Amino acid sequence: MKHVWMFVFIGFVAIVFTYLFISSRDQAVIKYFPIDDSHYFTEAATTLTTSDDEDNDEIKWEIASSSNDSMYLRQDVSLLYVNGRLKGVVNKWKENAQHIEKQTILQGEDSKKYEAISFHHGEIHGKNDEIKSIQTTTTDTLYIIDSPHSKKTAFHKAQSTEEKEWTGKLDHAIDQQLEAQWDELIHHYQIPREKYIHIPLTELTDFSKEDPFPGTTGAEFERILGQLWEGLYKNYVLGIEDSQSKHPIQSYIPLILLDKNGKHLIVLYEDDAGEKHQLIQYY
């Protein structure tokens, strides 16, 4: 009888283990691994577009990326902010894949600024269980001007005098809201603001391996960037996805504080439930 119960117990454990393994594959996890210089992205883009038809208010939000070879895991995650507030998250992953693309259609209205930032990632499994990765970040910005006093227009960068005036008005209003939110977070965590360089998450693409964070080398920047997105994905992206059914999304663009001495960075944000968060990453 003892042997029978032993087999039943072993079978139960096996079933539970199998279930947990399958469940873990339902949600891919972005994790930084050393960069593989022999693999790279042949394409990576975030694109925001709208129809030329004035009666069509649809906004098309697209992400796409291709690598030079098929990889164990390919994943793209994209965040869209409208007038500084998070509008949505797109998360697409494939195993043994070379190309990923995802398209989302949104309904636009009134005059707004759309900002999307995406992280493209590839996980490569080599010989002797060696794991490496490739990564890049892309972004796009779209202004929609829809006013009773002017013709509806859409542009990525202001060209005409009228577009520049509208851009200035929108940016000023949005920046005031963001600064108030960030000031509240900085004060809450008692951070000496003068010791940091302030970077909105949507401007992360201003830095690269060739133009890294202050006090870091290109190679160090690649590691820091990968680990930064690993932390953002785990704590920020998944946290938002888990709570979408409970609260409307209200989160503003997170603020990244770069230590001027090149020792660490801090990410500050408030989630859609109104809770404040601080992520600290040491270099």
Side-chain angles (χ1 to χ4, degrees):
M1 192 65 179
K2 289 183 179 179
H3 289 88
V4 173
W5 280 110
M6 181 62 72
F7 282 121
V8 170
F9 176 75
I10 292 172
F12 174 76
V13 171
I15 292 171
V16 171
F17 177 80
T18 302
Y19 171 77
L20 290 174
F21 176 77
I22 293 172
S23 297
S24 69
R25 298 311 300 168
D26 289 341
Q27 181 66 69
V29 176
I30 288 177
K31 186 171 179 58
Y32 170 77
F33 294 101
I35 300 300
D36 186 340
D37 294 328
S38 65
H39 290 82
Y40 51 88
F41 285 106
T42 57
E43 172 201 13
T46 302
T47 310
L48 296 169
T49 55
T50 188
S51 172
D52 293 330
D53 184 356
E54 285 198 29
D55 296 325
N56 188 343
D57 293 329
E58 289 183 346
I59 308 296
K60 188 186 295 183
W61 170 24
E62 298 176 281
I63 55 172
S65 61
S66 298
S67 52
N68 67 323
D69 200 358
S70 180
M71 298 182 177
Y72 175 80
L73 182 67
R74 282 280 294 104
Q75 184 171 6
D76 287 358
V77 59
S78 186
L79 303 165
L80 175 65
Y81 296 90
V82 180
N83 285 357
R85 288 181 180 267
L86 185 65
K87 181 68 175 180
V89 179
V90 168
N91 190 14
K92 181 75 179 281
W93 63 277
K94 284 184 179 180
E95 291 181 327
N96 302 313
Q98 188 170 358
H99 179 76
I100 282 183
E101 60 180 293
K102 178 79 173 180
Q103 177 180 299
T104 304
I105 302 296
L106 307 165
Q107 288 299 319
E109 58 180 17
D110 302 326
S111 298
K112 286 185 168 61
K113 179 182 181 180
Y114 294 79
E115 299 173 90
I117 185 165
S118 308
F119 184 64
H120 313 273
H121 186 259
E123 186 177 314
I124 306 155
H125 288 211
K127 297 179 180 178
N128 302 320
D129 296 325
E130 183 181 39
I131 304 177
K132 291 189 175 183
S133 63
I134 61 171
Q135 62 186 29
T136 193
T137 304
T138 62
T139 188
D140 196 19
T141 300
L142 178 69
Y143 289 89
I144 303 291
I145 307 303
D146 188 5
S147 167
H149 308 293
S150 61
K151 181 182 177 182
K152 180 181 177 182
T153 58
F155 54 89
H156 295 275
K157 188 174 182 179
Q159 300 294 333
S160 67
T161 300
E162 185 179 17
E163 288 176 354
K164 290 177 181 179
E165 288 177 354
W166 273 108
T167 298
K169 292 178 183 178
L170 268 178
D171 285 350
H172 179 69
I174 295 167
D175 289 346
Q176 280 189 318
Q177 288 183 317
L178 290 173
E179 288 294 341
Q181 166 74 8
W182 294 337
D183 283 346
E184 185 179 328
L185 288 165
I186 290 171
H187 177 74
H188 177 79
Y189 287 107
Q190 299 182 336
I191 297 171
R193 60 168 64 241
E194 70 280 0
K195 294 184 178 181
Y196 294 89
I197 299 169
H198 300 197
I199 306 294
L201 175 63
T202 47
E203 295 179 14
L204 193 57
T205 51
D206 289 350
F207 298 89
S208 64
K209 184 177 181 180
E210 291 70 34
D211 187 16
F213 292 153
T216 69
T217 65
E220 288 171 340
F221 170 79
E222 291 279 21
R223 174 181 54 78
I224 294 166
L225 180 68
Q227 292 173 343
L228 170 60
W229 275 106
E230 179 181 336
L232 284 169
Y233 185 79
K234 178 181 178 182
N235 297 283
Y236 180 60
V237 175
L238 294 184
I240 290 167
E241 290 186 335
D242 289 344
S243 63
Q244 276 186 359
S245 61
K246 302 174 186 176
H247 310 280
I249 298 175
Q250 295 294 328
S251 176
Y252 284 98
I253 297 171
L255 179 66
I256 301 173
L257 301 176
L258 303 177
D259 172 34
K260 290 182 178 179
N261 292 323
K263 302 297 183 182
H264 67 280
L265 63 79
I266 301 173
V267 181
L268 299 176
Y269 67 94
E270 188 174 277
D271 64 24
D272 50 312
E275 294 185 12
K276 295 176 175 58
H277 297 268
Q278 175 183 231
L279 306 178
I280 301 177
Q281 178 182 333
Y282 293 96
Y283 300 165

